[in-house]
Amino acid sequence: MKSYEEINEKIASGKAVVLTADEVSDYVDQKGLAKAAEEIDVVTTATFGAMCSSGAFVNFGQCAPKIRITEAWIDDVLAYSGVAAVDAYIGATQLRQNDPENMYYPGEFRFGGGHVIEKLVAGKQCQLFALSYGTDEYPRRELRTWFTIDDLNQAIMVNPRNCYQNYNVATNLSDRTIYTYLGALKPHMKNLTYSSAGQLSPLLNDPLYRTIGIGTAVWLAGARGHVYAEGTQHAPSISRTPGGVPTGGAGTLALTADMKQMKGRYVRGVSLKGYGVSLALGVGVPIPILDEDVLLKTTVRDRDIPAEVIDYSSDYPNKTGKVLAHVNYADLKKGNIELLGKRVEVSSMSSYAMALEIAELLKEEVRSGSFLLSRPLQPLPVEQELKSLKIRKEDEVR
Amino acid sequence: MIQKKFLLNFSKEVSEQPHIYHLVKDYDLIVNIFRAKITDEAEGFMILEISGEKDALRKGIAYLRDQNVGVGEAEKGVVWDEERCTQCGNCLSHCPTHALRIDDPATMHIIFDAEACIECLACIKNCPYGACTSVF
Ligand code: SF4
Ligand code: SF4
């Protein structure tokens, strides 16, 4: 048994033993669980992929004369301004004004909120255009200017839902190509796409949220950030393997960090043909090895992590709940998979190579004493169902 | 028999000549054209694979150069920008020849094998990060 304080002391003195979630499984196999739990202080986990529920609060500062912004566009992408005078929220999936969307099917969706955020973090110049109705103390009705992230008072990323614990695998049984947030899916199940870092994924290494909770320090695109709440759609009450690994989405995290501290390599705008725009982020979460059980959970391997294959041409949009097949990440990573008697080519939306890079980076930061862990202020719920939206008439509400 | 991929560049002056016909007829070469385009400036590009006897291939290429056709050997029509690539793997099931592939499952690093690329452009259409582009 180790405490957070003991682990942090070891980190601060540069003596912490840190392994990535990729390395830890073999290590525990060799050393045995008890011995390894004594030795290892921290296991680093990571993921890199498109996380649509992301965005940033920015504060532009006041100009003279002052303005109470009612609508704002950054590089022609609408930023939500229903907050204080010169605050705005730029969301990852907001499209650039006048994007033809899928009018010319499937549509390319070249630029949006995710790309604005990428540009800001990369230190590039963006255009702000803002409108207002003008008031006695905020008389200005319009402004246009150019700025970089350095000109902003704050640029704080606030992401309502990141790091889905597990995810389904998409395929297409119909006879035409469909375009989804998991990429283009060819007809007759010719390909499929998964989106998870598998054995490196943060919540798959702490499946029952023993160490990851509200207040946990995370590495968000190079900045030190925190879990500020359970993520939206956090729904841990689903079927799980005996090791606690959920067979579907389950847990999620709401993350925040200072965008001014982020590294451009891990903040990337995403254009998904036929679907829209998004933002890909790199996230790393260090797991303190408090005891043998915490360590054991981090030894999860791709082959132990199940995923459900869903037909995105019909079952997914219609929410039928039908699962075509069960696979695991070790099989998915082979590049092609035998499914319902057919060879199917595999794509992914989540970058294992980048996740590995982040897990290694975080490992170095913890080892060198520059990244201390934090004890959660409050645990994440371990029991909670996902509610559906009922479409009903006013008098049907009980 | 050897086989090689080339990027040909036809300037305005030479784009109307039947060069490929001569390659086949006069040098006994087999050509497999992956992609060709004449732009509105009447410049032309062509990506093709040429196979034949070593000597014939050398002579055929010399003939093209003689005719002022730009012949690029190391050049390729599809460019993969390693820095922009996030190694997401979305292109993998769309690349028909596995020119984009993962060689080492431990690192899951994507590599681009230009010689295996048949210029189908599927990766350009599917890459969410704009890592694949075309020179024309
Ligand atoms: S889809 Fe694009 S970013 Fe993803 S691996 Fe292929 S080239 Fe790289
Ligand atoms: S152009 Fe086609 S063959 Fe070449 S790398 Fe892209 S998908 Fe593969």
Side-chain angles (χ1 to χ4, degrees), chain A residues 48 118 182 184 186 191 268-271 273 280 333 345 347-354, chain B residues 83-94 98 106-109 125-129:
Chain A
F48 180 95
E118 170 181 326
L182 287 169
K186 299 189 233 185
N191 65 341
R268 308 287 290 274
V270 180
S271 292
K273 203 183 180 67
K333 278 193 183 167
E345 294 273 327
S347 272
S348 79
M349 258 306 177
S350 162
S351 172
Y352 193 82
M354 285 281 252
Chain B
E83 275 301 300
R84 278 214 72 77
C85 174
T86 65
Q87 318 273 332
C88 73
N90 192 251
C91 51
L92 296 175
S93 71
H94 297 282
H98 299 290
T107 66
M108 298 292 277
H109 266 283
K125 291 182 201 131
N126 284 290
C127 176
Y129 300 91

Side-chain angles (χ1 to χ4, degrees), chain B residues 78 91 94-100 112 116-124 132:
Chain B
V78 168
C91 51
H94 297 282
C95 179
T97 60
H98 299 290
L100 284 158
F112 174 58
C117 173
I118 55 161
E119 309 269 332
C120 73
L121 309 186
C123 54
I124 297 179
C132 297

Side-chain angles (χ1 to χ4, degrees), chain B residues 9-19 41-44 67-69:
Chain B
N9 195 336
F10 304 90
S11 67
K12 210 177 198 146
E13 293 70 40
V14 302
S15 62
E16 278 169 20
Q17 306 304 315
H19 300 296
E41 286 86 33
E43 282 179 344
Q67 300 293 310
N68 285 324
V69 174

Side-chain angles (χ1 to χ4, degrees), chain A residues 116-314:
Chain A
V116 169
I117 293 169
E118 170 181 326
K119 276 182 74 178
L120 285 172
V121 172
K124 294 193 179 138
Q125 181 170 294
C126 294
Q127 184 202 71
L128 168 67
F129 176 66
L131 295 175
S132 179
Y133 43 78
T135 68
D136 289 342
E137 75 279 49
Y138 295 109
R140 187 190 288 270
R141 287 166 173 249
E142 191 179 319
L143 72 81
R144 189 185 298 274
T145 183
W146 280 263
F147 69 100
T148 70
I149 194 166
D150 294 335
D151 297 314
L152 298 171
N153 285 312
Q154 282 77 29
I156 313 283
M157 196 175 267
V158 178
N159 305 339
R161 179 167 74 255
N162 286 168
C163 298
Y164 240 124
Q165 193 161 13
N166 197 351
Y167 216 79
N168 60 49
V169 178
T171 193
N172 170 19
L173 292 188
S174 78
D175 52 16
R176 65 170 185 97
T177 296
I178 62 168
Y179 298 90
T180 75
Y181 60 78
L182 287 169
L185 298 167
K186 299 189 233 185
H188 307 298
M189 209 171 70
K190 281 208 192 67
N191 65 341
L192 54 77
T193 311
Y194 69 93
S195 186
S196 169
Q199 63 190 12
L200 263 184
S201 195
L203 289 176
L204 288 173
N205 283 281
D206 183 11
L208 298 165
Y209 329 120
R210 280 202 52 206
T211 71
I212 304 176
I214 297 169
T216 294
V218 301
W219 185 101
L220 182 53
R224 185 185 166 90
H226 287 94
V227 177
Y228 71 84
E230 65 185 68
T232 53
Q233 295 182 22
H234 178 78
S237 297
I238 68 164
S239 65
R240 288 175 183 255
T241 67
V245 177
T247 54
T252 67
L253 300 175
L255 302 181
T256 184
D258 183 0
M259 242 164 73
K260 294 191 181 198
Q261 310 297 325
M262 291 183 181
K263 296 197 176 77
R265 180 167 170 79
Y266 309 104
V267 182
R268 308 287 290 274
V270 180
S271 292
L272 290 160
K273 203 183 180 67
Y275 168 75
V277 292
S278 187
L279 179 68
L281 287 172
V283 182
V285 182
I287 294 181
I289 303 306
L290 303 173
D291 56 37
E292 287 179 22
D293 174 62
V294 172
L295 178 62
L296 181 65
K297 296 295 199 290
T298 66
T299 61
V300 69
R301 289 178 196 264
D302 283 331
R303 61 171 186 248
D304 309 320
I305 308 169
E308 294 173 339
V309 183
I310 311 282
D311 176 14
Y312 270 54
S313 72
S314 150

Side-chain angles (χ1 to χ4, degrees), chain A residues 313-328:
Chain A
S313 72
S314 150
D315 293 320
Y316 184 84
N318 297 320
K319 209 172 181 290
T320 67
K322 187 176 165 199
V323 175
L324 285 181
H326 296 267
V327 293
N328 68 56

